[in-house]
Amino acid sequence: MDLHGRGQRLRILCGALVLLVLTMVLSLGIGFRAVPWSEAMAALWAPDPGNDLHLIVRVLRVPRTLLAVMAGAALGIAGAMMQAVTRNPLAEPGILGINAGAAVAVVLAIMVLGLTSMAQYVWFGFLGAGLAGVAVFTLGRAHETGTDPVRLVLAGAGIAVVLGAMTGIVILNAPLQEFDTFRNWSAGSVSDREAEIAVILAMVLLPAGLLALSLAGSLNILSLGQEMGQALGVRPGRVWGLTCIAVMLLAGGATAGAGPIGFVGLVAPHAARMVCGPDYRWILPVSGVFAAILLLLADILGRIVIAPDEVAAGIVAAILGGPFFILLVRRFRLARI
């Protein structure tokens, strides 16, 4: 269903934002200890240091909720951009090998340098994601005619396989303690994260998100085809380069902070496209909000299904996104660029 009209799209975006806020409030109250809505609001606006429920909300639930929202929004916007520039309905941030690059950098930081705090090895996740993205973009360039989306996708798949193998080799030879540290990160969990992580991600994801939104008009033109885009004054190589930078920062930041999370960046853009049509000026922000809601709901469900224990949000997101991925494979054929 393609709902046309600026007013309708604006109402959809506002409704999604309201739903996101309600989901965030729900996230503050659900967990190993239930926190009533009134207590959760009091913890935010009138905290009492002697109230253990207020401490749970402010120390544990708020950073967790903010991290899920930021990581989900970043993955949703990055996924929408990747589907736009590759013109491939199955594209998502992992297609550039960003998850694999962040994973191999984090595992080396933990195993070789002995880092145990996420505030320390999150920077290695950024570095690994960035280097992997640069390598894929370099290998995926078609120097005679500009950047080739198909070649970029193939380069990303190859880099991801190689880096995944390297990660596996290091893990198999790692001591048990370091393995547990990496396992907690690699499951794609937003629990037990320091507030500092949310601050670090905000500093990176906010400018990256603004860069992505500034490219929306160019993505609309390029969706008509590279030749048509050039005829309308768009420089495809420049748009590709800026898009890759935005995707590296968005998906790299989300992966560094929350671990590798799949399907969120695949599902949210399709849902946004169904209700907003083909205009990327609307698809990008709506994808971000939808993805934030999806990851936050996955985290909430993970706290409930085997309470008092938890399932990582990345695992729940994969379970929810798997059937949707199968549906896409059956419905679409890969676009030939």
Side-chain angles (χ1 to χ4, degrees):
M1 180 175 57
D2 185 2
L3 301 178
H4 298 283
R6 179 183 177 86
Q8 288 178 309
R9 290 165 175 163
L10 184 59
R11 285 192 291 272
I12 290 170
L13 179 58
C14 291
L17 288 172
V18 170
L19 180 59
L20 175 59
V21 171
L22 294 176
T23 309
M24 294 174 68
V25 174
L26 186 66
S27 174
L28 297 179
I30 294 180
F32 67 95
R33 284 193 64 182
V35 179
W37 181 84
S38 57
E39 287 289 345
M41 294 300 99
L44 295 179
W45 306 113
D48 178 7
N51 189 327
D52 58 343
L53 292 180
H54 288 197
L55 292 176
I56 290 173
V57 170
R58 295 182 66 86
V59 177
L60 299 178
R61 304 274 173 84
V62 169
R64 179 175 190 164
T65 299
L66 292 178
L67 179 58
V69 170
M70 289 190 293
L75 291 173
I77 295 174
M81 297 185 77
M82 286 307 306
Q83 291 172 15
V85 295
T86 62
R87 300 169 67 189
N88 183 343
L90 302 182
E92 55 102 18
I95 200 171
L96 287 185
I98 289 176
N99 287 358
V104 73
V106 167
V107 73
L108 288 175
I110 294 173
M111 307 304 179
V112 178
L113 301 180
L115 303 182
T116 57
S117 171
M118 175 164 287
Q120 295 174 326
Y121 61 73
V122 68
W123 297 105
F124 288 86
F126 277 114
L127 178 63
L131 292 178
V134 170
V136 170
F137 184 69
T138 301
L139 294 174
R141 289 186 62 85
H143 298 287
E144 298 82 5
T145 59
T147 306
D148 183 352
V150 173
R151 186 172 178 178
L152 190 76
V153 170
L154 295 176
I159 290 290
V161 170
V162 173
L163 294 178
M166 292 175 57
T167 302
I169 292 173
V170 176
I171 291 175
L172 289 175
N173 294 276
L176 183 60
Q177 182 177 357
E178 283 79 3
F179 172 77
D180 285 340
T181 302
F182 177 76
R183 182 184 61 181
N184 292 334
W185 175 84
S186 64
S189 174
V190 294
S191 65
D192 299 325
R193 302 294 197 248
E194 303 96 329
E196 183 181 357
I197 299 300
V199 175
I200 293 172
L201 291 187
M203 293 171 57
V204 175
L205 298 182
L206 180 58
L210 294 176
L211 173 60
L213 294 176
S214 71
L215 295 171
S218 298
L219 294 177
N220 280 339
I221 297 175
L222 281 185
S223 66
L224 303 175
Q226 183 168 309
E227 294 78 9
M228 181 64 73
Q230 289 176 322
L232 294 175
V234 173
R235 296 165 55 189
R238 177 179 176 275
V239 176
W240 265 97
L242 292 175
T243 298
C244 286
I245 291 174
V247 170
M248 282 188 288
L249 291 175
L250 290 168
T255 303
I261 296 176
F263 294 109
V264 172
L266 172 68
V267 174
H270 283 283
R273 196 173 291 108
M274 288 175 62
V275 298
C276 291
D279 190 344
Y280 280 93
R281 292 174 299 178
W282 293 96
I283 289 175
L284 293 183
V286 174
S287 294
V289 178
F290 281 2
I293 294 173
L294 176 60
L295 186 56
L296 196 53
L297 286 176
D299 182 45
I300 293 173
L301 288 175
R303 308 177 206 177
I304 298 173
V305 289
I306 58 171
D309 294 325
E310 296 185 3
V311 179
I315 296 175
V316 178
I319 294 174
L320 297 177
F324 187 83
F325 180 79
I326 295 173
L327 177 63
L328 287 179
V329 172
R330 291 178 58 87
R331 183 175 179 181
F332 295 104
R333 291 183 299 175
L334 292 180
R336 294 178 63 111
I337 307 300

